[in-house]
Amino acid sequence: VYMGMSLVHVLGNPTMATLIDRMGKVNGIVGGCTFLSTSMFILPYCTEMNEVVATCGLWALGSTMLSTAPVSFISDNVSDRKRAQAIALFRTAGDVGFLLGAMSAGAFADVFDMDTALHASAGMLLSATGWFTTRSLLGSKESKH
């Protein structure tokens, strides 16, 4: 399954980059996060292999969107002089998120169960997505004044 998700990345990155450029970076980030949180929420309910494959495909699609949109968003919003540092900070924050997220989800699954851990992760990502969306909308309204 994981290899299939990587295949979606390899084949989808060029197409997704073009789509992100057309639809906008914020929409790409929000869409990618929404696909990820939706697939996290659905995965515990999958009982057949084809359901797991479809859900992981949605997960991979969201992940592919997030391999392009955030870096492009940073590039558009940070000065040339600070761009490399901003991207490095973004990548480091992502790695810290993978470390702490995996440990937290594992501990949560030990205390409760894996389904609850996935649902909690989906809820946290959806909350962060809502916050990002709100900030982006407020920021775009402020910049128009």
Side-chain angles (χ1 to χ4, degrees):
V1 171
Y2 193 75
M3 188 176 87
M5 293 173 76
S6 293
L7 182 63
V8 171
H9 281 250
V10 169
L11 298 176
N13 271 333
T15 303
M16 201 53 64
T18 301
L19 182 63
I20 297 293
D21 283 337
R22 287 186 183 150
M23 67 189 264
K25 282 75 171 184
V26 170
N27 291 334
I29 293 168
V30 171
C33 288
T34 301
F35 287 161
L36 283 174
S37 58
T38 300
S39 58
M40 278 187 232
F41 188 81
I42 293 171
L43 193 59
Y45 299 110
C46 295
T47 57
E48 303 291 328
M49 182 55 102
N50 61 339
E51 294 170 346
V52 172
V53 169
T55 302
C56 288
L58 182 63
W59 190 312
L61 183 62
S63 182
T64 302
M65 293 174 84
L66 293 176
S67 69
T68 303
V71 175
S72 186
F73 179 82
I74 290 168
S75 295
D76 288 350
N77 290 290
V78 176
S79 70
D80 289 345
R81 213 176 103 235
K82 296 182 180 181
R83 188 167 295 140
Q85 185 62 34
I87 292 171
L89 181 59
F90 166 71
R91 299 273 189 208
T92 302
D95 289 337
V96 169
F98 280 131
L99 288 169
L100 296 178
M103 287 189 311
S104 300
F108 207 77
D110 282 345
V111 172
F112 299 101
D113 57 46
M114 193 61 202
D115 294 359
T116 305
L118 276 169
H119 288 152
S121 296
M124 286 185 276
L125 179 57
L126 202 54
S127 296
T129 304
W131 179 250
F132 176 77
T133 304
T134 301
R135 293 283 309 217
S136 296
L137 290 172
L138 291 175
S140 64
K141 286 181 181 179
E142 290 173 5
S143 64
K144 291 179 183 176
H145 293 291

